[in-house]
Amino acid sequence: MAATGTHNSSTTVVYAALAGNLAIAATKFVAFALTGSSAMLTEAIHSSVDTGNQGLLLLGLARARKPPSQTHPFGHGMEVYFWAFVVALLIFALGGAFSIYEGLLKIARPEPIERAWINFLVIGLAVLFEGGSFLVAWKAFKVVRKGTPFFRAIRGSKDPSIFAVLLEDGAALAGLAIAALGVAGSAILGIAWADGAASVAIGVLLVGVAIFLANETRSLLTGESASPRIVEAVRDMLAADPRIDTVAEVLSMHLGPSEILLGVTLDFHDALTAGEIEDAADDFAARIRAIDPRITRVFVRSGRARAAYARPLEPNRGPSSR
């Protein structure tokens, strides 16, 4: 996917989630005020945290668009990864941990739920809002996924602004189902602790999602490589060129969801002159960039001469002059 398309898709997904969670949080707080349901308070806090999280993801997307500078010569694309990691911490602390705490208090001191039908009405509305946001994220994720199994695609995704929203909305839908069971158990079946138990279960779910999301963004923050498909395509292209004797290494790192840094070490045939090696380095940089538009910087090194040829590339431009 092109860099611009990826950015537009990510922004659409986050805005859809922001609008949905803002509406849901307001209705859930009203429902809690009217019924006193612990599970509904937990869900209201969960939606409030999600709303703030979307704002942080939008901040990350905006900061990632800043141009390269002297202090950040490769740009600011990793801002997206940093703010997604912050989102994971907030889900863990403000969403999961608080939900478990609130649920344990309710189990120890259960209180009856008044006007439970309000809770069910709000849960139904929340399912519609969350479902709409989830579908927007799911459609964007399917474009990136390209038939890859779900969890493998999540782990291989380089855009946390999409998979973070997808995981949040999925957890929210599951949380709503748990909240409905808790309200039903407490208000209809007379199980006093059911509402608190639902709150604990929602908290455990959120903690699990937060840990998974934190681990994925940690991997991106610490220099995750491009997909094996891209690396193999580069290696195959270089290996097929008659000027190359051996492709020593192909190294890559994501500088952001839409930016890849790629470096190759090549053993050129001995018959090539220094000038021919330099021309070949320029040619390879342009051909590597054509493999995937996210490859914005290419470094080509001759393994024989041990001379480095840096080819920084801007989107839609060829190799820059040395």
Side-chain angles (χ1 to χ4, degrees):
M1 184 187 295
T4 301
T6 301
H7 167 72
N8 290 338
S9 177
S10 302
T11 303
T12 300
V13 168
V14 178
Y15 271 120
L18 177 65
N21 283 315
L22 189 61
I24 294 167
T27 56
K28 287 177 180 176
F29 273 118
V30 171
F32 165 71
L34 295 175
T35 66
S37 167
S38 174
M40 193 54 57
L41 174 60
T42 297
E43 279 294 308
I45 294 171
H46 176 194
S47 295
S48 298
V49 172
D50 284 352
T51 302
N53 288 345
Q54 313 319 319
L56 292 177
L57 290 175
L58 288 173
L59 174 63
L61 289 169
R63 292 183 62 86
R65 292 196 298 271
K66 294 171 60 178
S69 64
Q70 186 174 2
T71 57
H72 292 80
F74 294 114
H76 298 77
M78 286 193 174
E79 287 270 4
V80 175
Y81 300 154
F82 170 76
W83 290 108
F85 187 77
V86 173
V87 164
L89 297 181
L90 290 176
I91 293 174
F92 182 92
L94 300 182
F98 182 83
S99 297
I100 293 173
Y101 172 75
E102 176 67 19
L104 292 175
L105 288 181
K106 275 288 187 175
I107 292 174
R109 296 190 296 272
E111 298 177 3
I113 296 178
E114 301 176 358
R115 290 175 285 187
W117 66 269
I118 296 178
N119 282 346
F120 290 119
L121 175 62
V122 169
I123 289 173
L125 292 173
V127 167
L128 292 177
F129 288 127
E130 291 283 9
S133 174
F134 181 83
L135 286 177
V136 173
W138 179 255
K139 289 179 180 178
F141 182 67
K142 281 181 64 177
V143 174
V144 180
R145 180 184 178 187
K146 297 178 180 178
T148 306
F150 178 76
F151 282 107
R152 186 187 303 173
I154 288 286
R155 297 188 68 88
S157 175
K158 312 300 181 182
D159 191 350
S161 60
I162 291 179
F163 70 73
V165 171
L166 187 67
L167 291 173
E168 280 187 2
D169 288 345
L173 289 170
L176 288 168
I178 295 171
L181 290 175
V183 173
S186 181
I188 298 176
L189 300 180
I191 304 174
W193 50 265
D195 188 44
S199 184
V200 172
I202 293 169
V204 171
L205 173 66
L206 293 179
V207 167
V209 169
I211 291 174
F212 181 84
L213 180 58
N215 185 60
E216 290 304 305
T217 51
R218 174 203 56 79
S219 179
L220 291 167
L221 270 172
T222 52
E224 193 168 296
S225 68
S227 71
R229 175 188 61 81
I230 294 175
V231 174
E232 287 305 311
V234 171
R235 184 178 293 276
D236 291 344
M237 182 272 290
L238 294 170
D241 193 284
R243 294 168 291 184
I244 301 300
D245 183 52
T246 305
V247 180
E249 60 184 1
V250 178
L251 305 177
S252 64
M253 185 176 74
H254 264 268
L255 301 173
S258 302
E259 295 183 70
I260 298 173
L261 169 69
L262 197 142
V264 296
T265 302
L266 307 172
D267 187 2
F268 292 90
H269 282 299
D270 293 340
L272 295 180
T273 66
E276 289 173 330
I277 290 176
E278 289 190 11
D279 291 340
D282 281 325
D283 179 38
F284 292 146
R287 290 166 63 188
I288 289 171
R289 173 65 176 83
I291 289 175
D292 193 295
R294 292 174 296 177
I295 301 175
T296 55
R297 295 193 179 261
V298 179
F299 292 84
V300 181
R301 187 177 74 161
S302 168
R304 174 166 61 90
R306 299 300 177 189
Y309 298 96
R311 298 291 181 267
L313 297 171
E314 298 301 333
N316 301 320
R317 296 183 184 177
S320 64
S321 59
R322 290 187 295 279

